[in-house]
Amino acid sequence: MSLATATEYALMLAADPQPPAEEVRAGPGPAPAGAVRHGLTANEATAGLARLSPRERELVTLIAQGRTDAQIAAQLYITVRTVSSHLDRVRDKTGCRRRADLTRPALSAGLVQLTYAGSSTPAAERAGRPRLSIMAMDSFAGKLAVVTGAGSGMGRELTRQLAVQGCSVAACDLNPDTMAETVALAQAEAPPGVRVTGHACDVADEAQVLRFRDELLAEHASGHVDLVFSNAGVGGGDSFVNSRREEWERVFAIDWWGVYYCARAFLPLLIASGDGVLVNTSSVNGFWASLGPGVPQTAYSAAKFAVRGFTEALIEDLRSNAPHVRVALVLPGHVGTDIVTNSLMARGLPAPEHMSDAEAEAMVPAGARDGLRQAGVLPEAATAEDLRRFLARVNADFRDKAPVSAAQAATIILDGVRAGAWRILIGEDAKMIDERVRAKPGAAYDYAELFAGLTWSGGDQTG
């Protein structure tokens, strides 16, 4: 598209952002009882919603969840005054004169889905207009979800919380023992009729992903899935200069190819569901490729940037070619998980407490030991046992002292999916880094300028 054409298209949308009234339809099912609000029917409210800009629709979704103006301003990175200004325009376009009207059933019905229906409008004209798609999800009950990396951390908590809310889950992990623990925990908390199955799967191996897909369809007697959470991830391969190539490519394969293979395997099943959601977990390292001074993060960051780019590219792809499916991008900061130990296991190493002397010494090179001794973290004559204890403590501290727990992160993700959000930031650190990098992209790796006025306390890895 040329610059002139793009400009003309933008002006057209600004002048006439809504499709013709006959092309707008509400979500499935009849309008709920009591849907009349100050003379507006559910269909009229839905037509009003079609006139909203993407930011205004996001605002309405948050209001319908009961968020205050201050909470909305913080989540959308705008001022409270801007929230009020957006709300005035929402009132004008929807006919809702009171804030309370925005939580009424008629408006909720309109939020379920706005898309083009078949009409007499010529196809060429429809093709020139964007589809409007807001698909909030009132409940996970009765649905079937796929969760990868479910043996611990966010994957385990996603599995548990989905099951508690009435959603059957097919979960997988590289470690069959921790996967079995997750299944037992989730099934014990699930209401009657909900089924949780566990599967051993290395998402970096496409054949194993396809086998997992076939197993879950058979065990759940289903021809579709409703939600896919591509959550599996490991760290490592920090330096492109110094890390072993095998380690670097193993990390990249799990964190990127695992997301890609799952999208290939499960997207047709999400399309078959009629209202599927693909949720891909990237990271703060998906928009900031570092953990700070002296801490390169190349394999993980490269993979997470790929996940972010792929997921954002799918937004328009799905709008154009599978409008009943949407995609969401999760961008966590420091979340309390066992990613340190899980990353070791993914590379064929045991947990720190079970490492041999040689393995422990290889994990903490002599140069790193010097710095740790100077910081008082290791004793002067550190033994292999000291190194094992140090590595175990690093994992425990990362998990237990994180500002956001895995359970809290899972709740934020599920709330975002229910609300119809496509971008889900987790943690104040992720929000702060996102805001600063977007405000000063040229200073993204000039740490003194980027974090001026802040006390830096570390970065991210989640899984």
Side-chain angles (χ1 to χ4, degrees):
M1 180 184 290
S2 69
L3 178 60
T5 304
T7 303
E8 182 181 13
Y9 183 66
L11 290 172
M12 179 197 76
L13 293 181
D16 184 22
Q18 76 274 11
E22 71 272 16
E23 288 192 299
V24 179
R25 63 179 174 86
V36 176
R37 306 172 300 95
H38 299 292
L40 288 179
T41 66
N43 285 340
E44 289 167 339
T46 299
L49 283 170
R51 301 186 187 98
L52 302 185
S53 70
R55 176 49 62 89
E56 289 163 353
R57 297 199 298 270
E58 190 173 13
L59 180 93
V60 168
T61 302
L62 294 172
I63 290 173
Q65 293 174 341
R67 307 287 177 89
T68 66
D69 284 6
Q71 290 171 328
I72 293 170
Q75 182 159 342
L76 301 184
Y77 301 109
I78 57 179
T79 66
V80 173
R81 179 176 293 182
T82 303
V83 172
S84 178
S85 176
H86 282 315
L87 185 53
D88 287 341
R89 287 196 291 272
V90 167
R91 289 183 176 122
D92 290 341
K93 292 176 181 178
T94 63
C96 299
R97 304 316 307 165
R98 302 179 307 163
R99 185 189 181 98
D101 291 331
L102 296 175
T103 62
R104 293 287 185 97
L107 198 56
S108 297
L111 281 170
V112 173
Q113 186 172 325
L114 295 174
T115 187
Y116 285 133
S119 75
S120 58
T121 304
E125 181 179 339
R126 292 202 306 273
R129 297 176 181 269
R131 285 183 175 84
L132 296 173
S133 179
I134 307 176
M135 292 183 282
M137 188 172 286
D138 292 335
S139 171
F140 296 120
K143 298 186 181 297
L144 173 58
V146 172
V147 180
T148 70
S152 63
M154 292 183 348
R156 172 172 287 183
E157 290 300 329
L158 284 167
T159 302
R160 292 178 66 178
Q161 292 184 31
L162 285 164
V164 167
Q165 295 177 50
C167 182
S168 291
V169 184
C172 78
D173 196 88
L174 189 63
N175 186 335
D177 294 333
T178 57
M179 186 66 262
E181 292 172 6
T182 296
V183 170
L185 289 167
Q187 195 68 71
E189 299 171 314
V194 170
R195 186 163 188 214
V196 181
T197 59
H199 308 259
C201 178
D202 179 353
V203 294
D205 182 339
E206 186 173 17
Q208 292 192 41
V209 171
L210 295 175
R211 186 197 67 210
F212 168 45
R213 177 201 63 190
D214 295 343
E215 287 176 359
L216 77 87
L217 292 177
E219 293 194 35
H220 289 265
S222 177
H224 73 275
V225 297
D226 301 293
L227 302 126
V228 173
F229 295 85
S230 277
N231 165 80
V234 298
D238 306 319
S239 171
F240 191 76
V241 177
N242 295 322
S243 295
R244 290 183 303 109
R245 176 172 178 167
E246 294 80 9
E247 176 190 336
W248 201 100
E249 292 181 355
R250 174 63 173 154
V251 170
F252 187 83
I254 293 173
D255 292 346
W256 158 243
W257 288 110
V259 170
Y260 174 80
Y261 291 145
C262 286
R264 282 289 182 197
F266 292 111
L267 184 57
L269 300 177
L270 289 171
I271 293 172
S273 78
D275 61 349
V277 187
L278 174 63
V279 185
N280 293 333
T281 298
S282 179
S283 162
V284 66
N285 291 128
F287 54 79
W288 186 61
S290 175
L291 290 180
V295 190
Q297 185 74 332
T298 61
Y300 187 81
S301 294
K304 294 302 186 179
F305 262 78
V307 171
R308 175 188 161 206
F310 173 62
T311 304
E312 293 192 20
L314 280 177
I315 293 172
E316 186 57 38
D317 195 350
L318 293 174
R319 268 188 195 148
S320 301
N321 298 300
H324 298 302
V325 179
R326 64 182 170 92
V327 67
L329 176 67
V330 178
L331 298 157
H334 182 180
V335 175
T337 72
D338 285 309
I339 193 171
V340 176
T341 295
N342 291 341
S343 298
L344 296 173
M345 296 178 67
R347 290 152 54 192
L349 293 168
E353 57 269 26
H354 300 306
M355 285 183 176
S356 67
D357 290 358
E359 288 169 336
E361 290 168 357
M363 284 301 303
V364 189
R369 274 177 255 168
D370 290 339
L372 293 169
R373 278 192 290 264
Q374 292 172 11
V377 176
L378 286 177
E380 280 300 320
T383 65
E385 182 58 28
D386 291 326
L387 298 178
R388 280 189 286 269
R389 282 197 293 264
F390 164 72
L391 291 168
R393 187 168 67 250
V394 168
N395 181 66
D397 286 351
F398 187 92
R399 180 190 62 229
D400 301 334
K401 296 181 180 180
V404 179
S405 70
Q408 291 169 328
T411 299
I412 292 169
I413 293 169
L414 295 181
D415 284 349
V417 170
R418 259 195 304 268
W422 73 263
R423 195 172 192 263
I424 304 170
L425 285 159
I426 300 177
E428 293 306 312
D429 54 345
K431 294 174 184 177
M432 178 272 292
I433 296 172
D434 176 54
E435 183 176 7
R436 292 198 168 220
V437 169
R438 286 190 291 114
K440 296 182 176 181
Y445 303 103
D446 181 343
Y447 307 122
E449 182 179 351
L450 186 68
F451 298 116
L454 293 176
T455 300
W456 178 241
S457 60
D460 151 81
Q461 280 188 5
T462 58

